[in-house]
Amino acid sequence: GGKGGGKGGGKGGGKGGGAPAAGLVVGNLGSRILEALLTLPYAESRAALHSVCSLPPSPLLEAARHPLASRVLEAALRTPGEGAAQAREPLQETLRSNAAKLVRSRAGCFVLGAAFDASPTAAQESLLAALAASEAELRGTTHGNALLRRLRFDHYKSHPGSWASMQERAQRKRDSFAELFAA
């Protein structure tokens, strides 16, 4: 919720957000099917997840800035199950190393947020360090400001040790809940 339509670009229905790059053709139905497939556990979505995560950097970054294709990447970053985290590593590394290119796009900011959520603390710190170079640009946009708040960027910048401890505690809680519901 809270990501759709409106002026200034969107993640839904292809509204606004500037014209998608000419080379990427994404159909609404196909992207929704792939997005739904990636919500299945890793055992059932393995082939689709590996296909998405092994995209070369150029089309992957194009997809991350596309209003529909970005939702597929977000779903790939949330695919549950044993083995999914390892399968996502190439995708996450490409996103982290190209964060500055993605912050200009509303869809790209949502993908970066999903990559952050799917990463261990050390990789989250790496992403925040990459975003530091684009801080002024991020603060100049609504979606950039929202991303910085969501990632607790100011806390990271002023108290990195405290931020890391907070992230570790949150990860332990998520892991505990995941174990509880898996049983």
Side-chain angles (χ1 to χ4, degrees), residues 17 20 23 33 39 45 53-54 60-61 67 69 74 78 80 88 114 121-122 132-133 139 150-151 154 163 169 182:
I33 290 170
T39 64
S45 62
C53 292
S54 65
L60 190 139
L61 296 174
E74 289 178 58
R78 289 189 301 263
R88 286 191 293 259
T121 304
R139 293 201 186 278
R150 181 169 175 260
L151 306 186
D154 290 333
W163 176 90
R169 281 192 308 274

Side-chain angles (χ1 to χ4, degrees), residues 39-134:
T39 64
L40 297 172
Y42 177 67
E44 287 82 24
S45 62
R46 180 180 177 161
L49 183 63
H50 282 277
S51 178
V52 169
C53 292
S54 65
L55 283 170
S58 182
L60 190 139
L61 296 174
E62 200 173 336
R65 292 185 294 257
H66 190 281
L68 292 172
S70 63
R71 287 182 173 264
V72 172
L73 295 179
E74 289 178 58
L77 289 161
R78 289 189 301 263
T79 299
E82 195 73 29
Q86 185 176 356
R88 286 191 293 259
E89 285 176 11
L91 170 62
Q92 290 174 298
E93 178 54 37
T94 300
L95 295 172
R96 271 193 306 274
S97 62
N98 290 282
K101 295 177 183 173
L102 297 176
V103 298
R104 294 176 184 96
S105 155
R106 182 175 181 203
C109 281
F110 281 112
V111 172
L112 286 173
F116 180 88
D117 292 343
S119 298
T121 304
Q124 290 177 337
E125 287 184 83
S126 169
L127 178 58
L128 289 174
L131 291 176
S134 303

